[in-house]
Amino acid sequence: MEKPKGKTSPRRYTRRGFLTTVARGTVATGVLTAYGVTAFKAKAAPAAVNIGGLYPVTGSFGQIGQACVNAAKLAVQMVNSAGGIKSLGGAPLNLILSDVQSDTTVTRTETERLITSNKLSAIHGSFASALTLITSEVAERLKMPLLTGSSSDLLNQGGRKYTFTPFARASQFAQAQLRMAKLIASGKPKVAVVFENTAFGTSSSKGLQDQAPAAGVEIVMFEPYSAGFADASPLINKVRASGASMLFAVSYLTDLVLIVRTMKQMGVNIPINGGSGGFIIPDFYKNVGKDAEGLVGVAHWNHDMNADAKTVDAAYQKQYGDFIFESQGSLVAQTFMIADALERAASPDPQKVRDALASLDVSKGYAAMAPGGKVKFDQNGKNVYGHPLGVQWQKGNLVTVFPKGEARAELIKV
Amino acid sequence: MTSVVAQAVVNGLLIGGIYALVSIGVTLIFGVVKIVNFAQGEFVMIGMYISWWLASHCGLDPVASLVVSMPALFVAGVLLQRFLIRRVLGLGDMPQIFLTFALSLLLMNLALLLFTANYRTVQTSYTLSAIHIGPLYIGVAKLIAFALAMLLSGALAVFLRATDLGKAMRASAQKREVAMLMGVNPDHVFGVAMGLALALAGAAGSLIVPFYPVYPGVGQVFVLMAFVAVVLGTLGNVTGALIAGLMMGLAESLGIQFVGADSGLIVVFAMLLLTLAVKPSGLFGGRVR
């Protein structure tokens, strides 16, 4: 009985044999790693500069959060392969990531943990305004410079000194949306505004409501909704009853997909301005398909806006297959702004990096990769040149169509 | 105005059918096995992923994929009862709560690992089509989902009343010890109950796919309403859960229409609290337990 067994598998492991092999393997790996690390340390003289990235990799914003992490990694690779921080002896950037789980409580504890348990020079995050407001509060308290693409105007209020917003603000988005509405509509636009009841939704829609009368746009419905609904038809039923000739939606991806599809289904055929958020990411088109054609929105960054953006987009597409979207592209720019500040501060000290960011003034290179191509902060941390772009889905691609001077394609009336 | 109200009622009933289907599973498990399955939403998610996968890889219509998702989840339910639930029965509430809650987290994160956080949609020929009746628009995908949800709920009710196994299940729900004395094998009955409950979750998943995107956290969207429906319709009462599910869809839709789009849930919970104030054990409570 025993013999044939031995014959058929001559290299059969006994339990002891197996354990010995595992133990040997572990020791060998350990030795190699240790050797590898020492060898690496001996070669790379300057210590890496740590920057933190706080993104919702899980939870309701998980998908966009993960995409942001991909872009943040790409950005650090770009800085490092271009020679790192030269004033620090070519020190590479080291990205330390944290998952804020799309939850405000977790965001608070994670931001504190990340800043206090690592030696960081600056942080960026956290995509959603509701989360970024918390990250910003903690960063202010712990005196850690924060760069963010989030658009809430609140991020520039309350005497914040460590929060920097290089991109367009929610109030500016509203103005652009209203002006685009006038371009699309024949006659005075009658707009229904639906928005999710979050920091992002309320601040964006507040801007629309405030500026509509001056822009010559009539708001016939102004309705907050609970994000993450199971069914959009009750909301669309209301939109139809309002007699609106155009819909502005301030929503993240799932809600917006449901809104667009339900409108088609219920025969509410009016132009839609999808705002930013979930509207301007490749997955929106993948989920909605050709019904997304001609829908317009706004963005604080777009992949076709200039040569640098196109280069970044090409590099990203090569690695991930999709075009690099707003929050991702702007994150590459933010990483280069941090690198620029580190370069001028010639120190990884967060206070010095903060001061260098406050005096940032760039008009070329990846650090200036913002609409208009210039970045300089005022005392509220707002980019004085910041403004949004109007974008439109055309043949499956998101193209810049507004303002006229920066448009890459004609705005198509649908 | 009447057409707006009528449309709101139709919308509410259609989504209510889905809430009902999910909550019937929860209430069946609670009634028979006496545990609260916090992972029910995740089994809906699994049903959705099964249908999405079959649709995108084999071109199978999501509704047709019921024949895969339901048996698959039935087996999962039987195994779950056999290897996990059975071991914590009779140990008090905490181990049961932790078990199903841990299962929920595990499944959600497993889905995140396997499928990433990406949203996936299935475009069927009827995803965007609607039936027009006068001023009313009735989404075809939701109508199919509603009809099949009602059919499955009806089939379950018939099963519980007309078959020996169904009667054994109801007997176990009413008085476990007496049922055992009458020769009912609890392991067998519990296994079938878990299987049926998960099969219903799977069915809900397959029926939702044509009109709702799939992602790892999607179960949470539907499960909150399901839990409310279970309480509203009296814990363990299948017909109660069905009616409560429909009522909640209706309350949500009318709430959105007349109170505000961020207040749909306020109306739902107000209805729950009012009901519980008048009838503490739910709409259909009183006689049993």
Side-chain angles (χ1 to χ4, degrees), chain A residues 257-286:
Chain A
V257 170
L258 288 182
I259 287 173
V260 172
R261 281 176 158 196
T262 310
M263 282 176 70
K264 296 279 171 201
Q265 193 177 41
M266 292 177 68
V268 186
N269 293 314
I270 55 176
I272 303 171
N273 189 311
S276 52
F279 175 71
I280 48 176
I281 66 177
D283 261 53
F284 178 76
Y285 199 92
K286 281 190 205 158

Side-chain angles (χ1 to χ4, degrees), chain B residues 67-137:
Chain B
V67 296
V68 181
S69 63
M70 286 186 72
L73 278 153
F74 182 88
V75 173
V78 173
L79 296 176
L80 181 65
Q81 151 69 13
R82 183 146 204 89
F83 294 105
L84 289 174
I85 306 275
R86 196 159 65 114
R87 310 198 184 269
V88 296
L89 287 181
L91 296 179
D93 290 340
M94 276 303 158
Q96 301 170 4
I97 291 172
F98 284 131
L99 176 71
T100 59
F101 198 69
L103 196 64
S104 156
L105 291 177
L106 177 76
L107 292 173
M108 216 187 297
N109 284 291
L110 223 52
L112 204 56
L113 200 68
L114 286 175
F115 302 108
T116 71
N118 282 2
Y119 295 92
R120 327 264 181 173
T121 27
V122 177
Q123 297 276 6
T124 60
S125 54
Y126 50 87
T127 293
L128 291 179
S129 47
I131 301 170
H132 302 221
I133 303 175
L136 292 184
Y137 285 76

Side-chain angles (χ1 to χ4, degrees), chain B residues 20-185:
Chain B
L21 197 55
V22 182
S23 60
I24 286 172
V26 176
T27 213
L28 184 66
I29 297 177
F30 185 84
V32 178
V33 194
K34 299 279 182 290
I35 67 160
V36 179
N37 182 17
F38 286 102
Q40 192 77 1
E42 277 54 58
F43 291 110
V44 175
M45 177 265 290
I46 293 174
M48 290 178 81
Y49 270 114
I50 291 177
S51 293
W52 164 77
W53 197 89
L54 288 172
S56 54
H57 290 79
C58 315
L60 192 63
D61 186 272
V63 175
S65 64
L66 273 179
V67 296
V68 181
S69 63
M70 286 186 72
L73 278 153
F74 182 88
V75 173
V78 173
L79 296 176
L80 181 65
Q81 151 69 13
R82 183 146 204 89
F83 294 105
L84 289 174
I85 306 275
R86 196 159 65 114
R87 310 198 184 269
V88 296
L89 287 181
L91 296 179
D93 290 340
M94 276 303 158
Q96 301 170 4
I97 291 172
F98 284 131
L99 176 71
T100 59
F101 198 69
L103 196 64
S104 156
L105 291 177
L106 177 76
L107 292 173
M108 216 187 297
N109 284 291
L110 223 52
L112 204 56
L113 200 68
L114 286 175
F115 302 108
T116 71
N118 282 2
Y119 295 92
R120 327 264 181 173
T121 27
V122 177
Q123 297 276 6
T124 60
S125 54
Y126 50 87
T127 293
L128 291 179
S129 47
I131 301 170
H132 302 221
I133 303 175
L136 292 184
Y137 285 76
I138 302 172
V140 172
K142 285 200 191 98
L143 188 63
I144 294 173
F146 178 82
L148 284 171
M150 292 304 109
L151 198 70
L152 289 170
S153 315
L156 180 70
V158 170
F159 168 79
L160 288 176
R161 295 199 189 282
T163 65
D164 283 349
L165 190 56
K167 284 177 188 161
M169 220 173 262
R170 283 196 298 142
S172 308
Q174 283 169 7
K175 206 92 195 153
R176 186 181 300 179
E177 295 77 11
V178 178
M180 283 167 72
L181 287 174
M182 296 298 130
V184 171
N185 176 353

Side-chain angles (χ1 to χ4, degrees), chain A residues 55-102:
Chain A
Y55 292 92
V57 178
T58 54
S60 53
F61 305 131
Q63 188 194 7
I64 293 182
Q66 183 60 54
C68 286
V69 165
N70 294 345
K73 287 182 180 161
L74 175 74
V76 164
Q77 277 170 23
M78 286 171 68
V79 171
N80 290 348
S81 59
I85 310 299
K86 284 156 202 107
S87 67
L88 290 171
L93 291 184
N94 178 35
L95 180 66
I96 302 180
L97 291 161
S98 160
D99 177 13
V100 298
Q101 301 176 13
S102 314

